[in-house]
Amino acid sequence: MALALLLLSCEDVVDLALPQAKQELVIEANAIQYANKANGTLRVKLSLTNNFYDELTIPVNDAEIILQVNNSAQNVPFKNDGLYSLPIAFYENTEYELIVNYQAQTYSARTKLFKTVPIDSIQLTERSFTDDNIALNAFFTDPDTAGDCYLFLTSATNQLNEVSVTDDELFNGNTTAVYYSEELKATDTVTFKIQGISQDYKRFLNILLQQSNSGAGGNPFSSPPSKINGNFVNQDNPEKRALGFFSISQEYELDFIIPNE
């Protein structure tokens, strides 16, 4: 890889040789059970990491992917641009295993369906008359079982999506709320989504969110981020793991329309 530096004083172009980053396989695999629907779609995105200064990934279109559940194995068909998908049924307390065969290496990960709870209500808690800032609380009731983990996805009209994760250590068995505040106007729609996730997936997402928010990726002279392995294991070479995670989550969502003042 070469980074072209333009010297403004003499308009010469200097090619600065940079080391090639080691390519690694990235496996993003998930299935979402919307509310209590019995069926859904498993989506698997395969790609290779690129050079240090190149944010684009390279799609992997020639892998073999197999889903095993209830003593049955199904191939996950290739669609396009590194995407593979398969209609699946959702079962509680059942192990799903995803196997990816790529370049004579076999990667596998196991998970189960992680349930969640509906969003009880959304309340407008604050409205600023100076900068159109709106604050909302989305309330949900955590079951009386310790260790529940949640992924929250919040989107609004003309705003960037927000992602956060938490567990129920501080509110087990109680009603609590997700807070959201942005500059919004009347008739804008805010959508709150809540997913059930595992403790391992929560830790994985926490690291991912910390690194994406650190801003290190925008500075070519900063230290490279630490490696995020996920739950895929290389059955042929345990030291050569894939990046990414395999998860199956139940999801509920609720919309709120900003009212007129």
Side-chain angles (χ1 to χ4, degrees):
M1 176 183 178
L3 179 66
L5 299 180
L6 177 64
L7 304 182
L8 298 180
S9 58
C10 58
E11 295 185 351
D12 290 333
V13 174
V14 178
D15 288 330
L16 175 63
L18 297 173
Q20 294 284 338
K22 180 181 178 181
Q23 279 192 340
E24 296 185 286
L25 180 64
V26 181
I27 309 174
E28 303 167 80
N30 69 81
I32 305 298
Q33 181 189 34
Y34 297 104
N36 285 310
K37 291 187 176 180
N39 300 292
T41 302
L42 169 67
R43 292 180 172 85
V44 184
K45 185 74 173 180
L46 296 187
S47 62
L48 296 174
T49 56
N50 212 331
N51 294 317
F52 185 76
Y53 293 111
D54 196 336
E55 296 181 356
L56 296 177
T57 57
I58 304 168
V60 172
N61 302 329
D62 56 348
E64 178 190 41
I65 304 179
I66 301 168
L67 177 69
Q68 293 187 345
V69 58
N70 289 333
N71 298 316
S72 176
Q74 289 181 278
N75 286 317
V76 183
F78 169 72
K79 298 301 180 182
N80 54 63
D81 293 330
L83 177 65
Y84 303 71
S85 68
L86 174 74
I88 66 169
F90 295 108
Y91 306 101
E92 294 187 39
N93 303 313
T94 299
E95 183 178 79
Y96 294 74
E97 182 179 14
L98 190 67
I99 300 169
V100 177
N101 295 312
Y102 177 66
Q103 291 191 343
Q105 302 288 302
T106 298
Y107 305 86
S108 67
R110 292 177 171 87
T111 192
K112 66 176 184 178
L113 170 64
F114 285 86
K115 306 282 281 185
T116 190
V117 294
I119 297 172
D120 300 326
S121 63
I122 301 174
Q123 296 181 12
L124 191 154
T125 60
E126 180 184 346
R127 183 196 293 269
S128 171
F129 294 100
T130 58
D131 58 5
D132 296 324
N133 195 72
I134 302 293
L136 301 172
N137 275 328
F139 292 90
F140 67 99
T141 302
D142 178 68
D144 192 17
T145 54
D148 296 308
C149 298
Y150 301 98
L151 166 63
F152 302 104
L153 305 166
T154 311
S155 59
T157 306
N158 299 320
Q159 298 290 342
L160 295 176
N161 297 342
E162 289 191 5
V163 180
S164 62
V165 293
T166 190
D167 57 38
D168 64 358
E169 181 179 2
L170 299 179
F171 54 83
N172 180 41
N174 294 299
T175 297
T176 188
V178 181
Y179 179 79
Y180 180 79
S181 180
E182 288 290 346
E183 289 188 7
L184 300 167
K185 63 182 184 300
T187 73
D188 281 352
T189 298
V190 182
T191 300
F192 288 88
K193 297 180 180 180
I194 181 172
Q195 292 183 11
I197 59 175
S198 66
Q199 286 278 2
D200 286 341
Y201 195 30
K202 181 188 76 95
R203 285 191 287 268
F204 173 85
L205 290 173
N206 261 330
I207 296 172
L208 197 64
L209 289 169
Q210 288 169 9
Q211 293 190 356
S212 64
N213 292 332
S214 67
N219 181 359
F221 302 105
S222 63
S223 299
S226 59
K227 186 175 179 180
I228 308 173
N229 285 319
N231 61 347
F232 280 93
V233 176
N234 188 326
Q235 301 298 329
D236 302 294
N237 180 6
E239 299 300 318
K240 185 180 179 182
R241 300 187 64 173
L243 311 181
F245 212 95
F246 174 38
S247 67
I248 301 179
S249 299
Q250 185 184 48
E251 177 184 282
Y252 287 93
E253 72 172 71
L254 190 63
D255 293 336
F256 184 89
I257 299 175
I258 304 299
N260 292 313
E261 296 181 10

